[in-house]
């Protein structure tokens, strides 16, 4: 399936690869790529949430 979406390459160690694979199968993602996109999305959401909390607490 050709795609117009940008592509990236990520190098990980064996332990992280296993964690990604575990996440993929536990959450029934159809591909490693889909699982990694979800992990990245979750990480970005977490960072934004932590930054918002930090900004709110610094205003008090």
């Amino acid at each position: 399936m050709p795609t117009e979406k940008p592509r990236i390459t990520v190098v990980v160690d064996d332990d992280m690869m296993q964690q990604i694979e575990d996440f993929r199968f536990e959450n029934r993602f159809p591909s490693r790529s889909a699982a990694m996109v979800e992990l990245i999305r979750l990480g970005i959401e977490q960072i934004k949430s932590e930054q918002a909390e930090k900004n709110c607490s610094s205003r008090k």
Side-chain angles (χ1 to χ4, degrees):
M1 278 186 266
T3 180
E4 297 296 320
K5 294 179 182 179
R7 294 174 179 249
I8 62 171
T9 300
V10 178
V11 179
V12 298
D13 62 24
D14 291 337
D15 183 56
M16 184 169 288
M17 178 60 82
Q18 188 58 55
Q19 290 179 57
I20 292 166
E21 287 294 296
D22 291 347
F23 177 82
R24 173 187 174 192
F25 289 108
E26 288 167 7
N27 294 281
R28 298 177 185 245
F29 281 94
S31 67
R32 185 180 296 146
S33 180
M36 291 181 68
V37 168
E38 179 66 5
L39 288 166
I40 292 166
R41 187 190 66 75
L42 290 168
I44 291 170
E45 282 183 7
Q46 181 67 32
I47 290 167
K48 286 181 178 180
S49 175
E50 290 172 3
Q51 289 173 341
E53 287 178 24
K54 184 178 177 182
N55 290 338
C56 286
S57 65
S58 66
R59 292 180 191 165
K60 293 180 181 180

